[in-house]
Amino acid sequence: MVLSVSSHLSELQELVQGDIEMMPGIKTRVIFNEMAALKSLPINQKATYFVQQMLVTKVSGNMGMLRYLPVLRGNVVVLTIGEKM
């Protein structure tokens, strides 16, 4: 699915079942329900693993910069940013 974040906010909110929070990456955007933990949504193992690997790679060995590794819950949308041709 290809979405423009600014023009499809309601679609993203529907996908994550609530208000969104966005975690920026170098070439990705991770979008998730900002209230997922308070709503006790189930842990999303695949998204959690993806984001933890992305963060560990981003700091490349300087683990002191990471205070914690996030655990994502509920539906998560991962957008990959492509290069313009």
Side-chain angles (χ1 to χ4, degrees):
M1 178 184 294
V2 177
L3 297 173
S4 165
V5 175
S6 60
S7 64
H8 294 285
L9 175 62
S10 62
E11 288 180 58
L12 290 170
Q13 288 173 323
E14 186 177 327
L15 287 169
V16 300
Q17 302 170 334
D19 292 336
I20 67 168
E21 185 166 339
M22 188 179 315
M23 180 181 304
I26 295 171
K27 290 191 176 186
T28 61
R29 298 295 182 264
V30 179
I31 300 168
F32 55 95
N33 184 327
E34 68 180 354
M35 302 297 284
L38 292 175
K39 292 180 177 182
S40 299
L41 295 178
I43 293 173
N44 185 324
Q45 297 288 342
K46 289 182 182 179
T48 296
Y49 179 78
F50 174 81
V51 167
Q52 288 179 354
Q53 293 303 307
M54 183 178 70
L55 290 173
V56 168
T57 301
K58 188 175 179 180
V59 297
S60 63
N62 191 355
M63 293 301 286
M65 290 180 68
L66 291 176
R67 298 273 185 241
Y68 69 95
L69 291 174
V71 174
L72 298 177
R73 295 174 170 269
N75 294 337
V76 175
V77 176
V78 178
L79 301 175
T80 302
I81 300 168
E83 295 181 19
K84 292 185 178 183
M85 299 182 88

